[in-house]
Amino acid sequence: MARKILIVDDEPNIVISLEFLMQQRGYEVALAHDGEQALQRMETFRPDLVLLDVVMPAMDGYEVCRKIRERSDWNPVRILMLSAKARDVDVSKGLALGADAYMTKPFSTRQLMATVGELLAANT
């Protein structure tokens, strides 16, 4: 059974690229374009990993991360935050709210896939 990845980003070009990469590696993928949609997809899709953008309208990735971590039934889900916000305080905030990893944009495909693999391996 394919591992499930939820991609949450409001930038269509990034979503298309990430979706292609993850499907190419055999992952089952669902998409969300904002925080509210992400939380709805969490209920129905039950992902193993969330690729979560930080800067989004209405509800940012930090808030989505916090809401995911509030639910004990979602605790096994790994969260990889992806953001152009690269200051130490941004990374620390994401990790403090419960992200398992934080990667700054731009990132390499190799680096992304290695991190995704590590997070999913830790969630078996």
Side-chain angles (χ1 to χ4, degrees):
M1 182 150 77
R3 306 298 299 267
K4 294 179 171 185
I5 297 178
L6 174 61
I7 298 169
V8 185
D9 201 306
D10 63 328
E11 179 59 46
N13 291 335
I14 291 176
V15 170
I16 289 169
S17 297
L18 291 174
E19 181 181 28
F20 175 78
L21 277 173
M22 298 305 143
Q23 288 178 337
Q24 189 180 40
R25 302 291 162 84
Y27 297 118
E28 185 177 346
V29 175
L31 307 175
H33 302 287
D34 60 46
E36 287 293 333
Q37 196 175 50
L39 295 174
Q40 292 169 0
R41 293 274 196 272
M42 287 291 298
E43 295 283 355
T44 57
F45 184 64
R46 298 287 185 179
D48 299 296
L49 173 73
V50 178
L51 297 179
L52 180 61
D53 185 24
V54 171
V55 179
M56 296 185 291
M59 182 188 305
D60 66 21
Y62 295 126
E63 184 66 14
V64 174
C65 184
R66 188 184 64 74
K67 288 183 178 283
I68 290 172
R69 290 302 181 226
E70 284 178 351
R71 294 262 309 254
S72 62
D73 57 327
W74 290 347
N75 275 346
V77 176
R78 299 292 176 210
I79 300 173
L80 171 54
M81 298 189 97
L82 303 172
S83 180
K85 297 180 85 167
R87 296 178 308 165
D88 288 345
V89 68
D90 301 316
V91 176
S92 295
K93 183 176 180 180
L95 297 174
L97 288 169
D100 297 288
Y102 190 108
M103 188 172 289
T104 56
K105 299 175 185 175
F107 48 79
S108 73
T109 300
R110 179 179 297 179
Q111 178 187 20
L112 174 65
M113 296 315 299
T115 303
V116 166
E118 290 168 12
L119 291 173
L120 288 174
N123 186 18
T124 55

